[in-house]
Structure formats: C-alpha cells, structure tokens
Amino acid sequence: MGTSGSASAADTTLFLSDIDGHSLGTMTHLDPDPDTFRVCDTRADGYGVTGKLYVYIGGWQLRETKADGGDAGCGYFDYNVVPYTAKYLMKICWNGPGEICAKKEFTED
C-alpha cells in the first residue's frame, strides 16, 4: 500500500504502512543545511526498510540509498537538496515479501 503525493520545502516525512494500516517505516527529509535524510524501520518483524532518494534530471535518477532494521535507532545520509532547481522523490520500501512501497515528490523553495 503506502502513500504518495508532493510536498514543498521544510521537513518532509513519508510514512509506509501495510495493507492493514500497520506502520512499517518512515523516511524524513530534515531541511536545515546540510540536508539530512532519516530512514526508520518502525516494525520489529525482522525485515527492515530501504529508503531511496531520486532527483529529476531528464528522468528520475537515483542519488542515495539507505537501509534500516535490526538495530536500535534509524539510518541517516546527507544529500544537498538544491532550492528552486529540481524535483526530488523519496521512496521507502519494506524489505519483506511482496512489494510494499510509498513515495513522495518534493521541491525545496
């Protein structure tokens, strides 16, 4: 299942849920420079989640990937999001069987 949509600037959070509405994970863009992305596995099911960041330059291009699961805390990576110049896409997927993903486009103003 999951969710999709678009957002603009500031902190942006993407929520991943299964078909029954149980939370599986989150991916958050933390806006202050340097731009930081947090990927969190929120369900202790042994599978974890993977977050990906894409930028649109003549098509969606993968820029960063971060997995989380099996430990306390979340995974993080930094990526410089450039204001006014590009569209970005966050995508988070559950690493278990089947394809459960959520995605959200955003820009930074």
Side-chain angles (χ1 to χ4, degrees), residues 1-2 17-22 24 100:
M1 274 301 125
S17 301
D18 65 15
I19 196 165
D20 297 321
H22 298 112
L24 299 173
I100 301 175

Side-chain angles (χ1 to χ4, degrees), residues 67-80:
D68 184 60
D71 63 357
C74 300
Y76 294 85
F77 66 88
D78 292 337
Y79 184 85
N80 184 33

Side-chain angles (χ1 to χ4, degrees), residues 19-85:
I19 196 165
D20 297 321
H22 298 112
S23 177
L24 299 173
T26 62
M27 183 172 180
T28 304
H29 167 225
L30 303 166
D31 188 38
D33 290 332
D35 293 283
T36 300
F37 291 82
R38 178 178 60 216
V39 178
C40 299
D41 177 14
T42 58
R43 187 166 182 93
D45 59 9
Y47 289 108
V49 295
T50 299
K52 296 183 179 186
L53 177 67
Y54 297 83
V55 62
Y56 191 87
I57 303 173
W60 289 111
Q61 298 178 16
L62 180 62
R63 290 296 187 227
E64 295 286 343
T65 301
K66 186 67 176 180
D68 184 60
D71 63 357
C74 300
Y76 294 85
F77 66 88
D78 292 337
Y79 184 85
N80 184 33
V81 174
V82 181
Y84 306 109
T85 60

Side-chain angles (χ1 to χ4, degrees), residues 1-19:
M1 274 301 125
T3 61
S4 64
S6 62
S8 179
D11 293 353
T12 301
T13 300
L14 176 59
F15 299 94
L16 178 65
S17 301
D18 65 15
I19 196 165

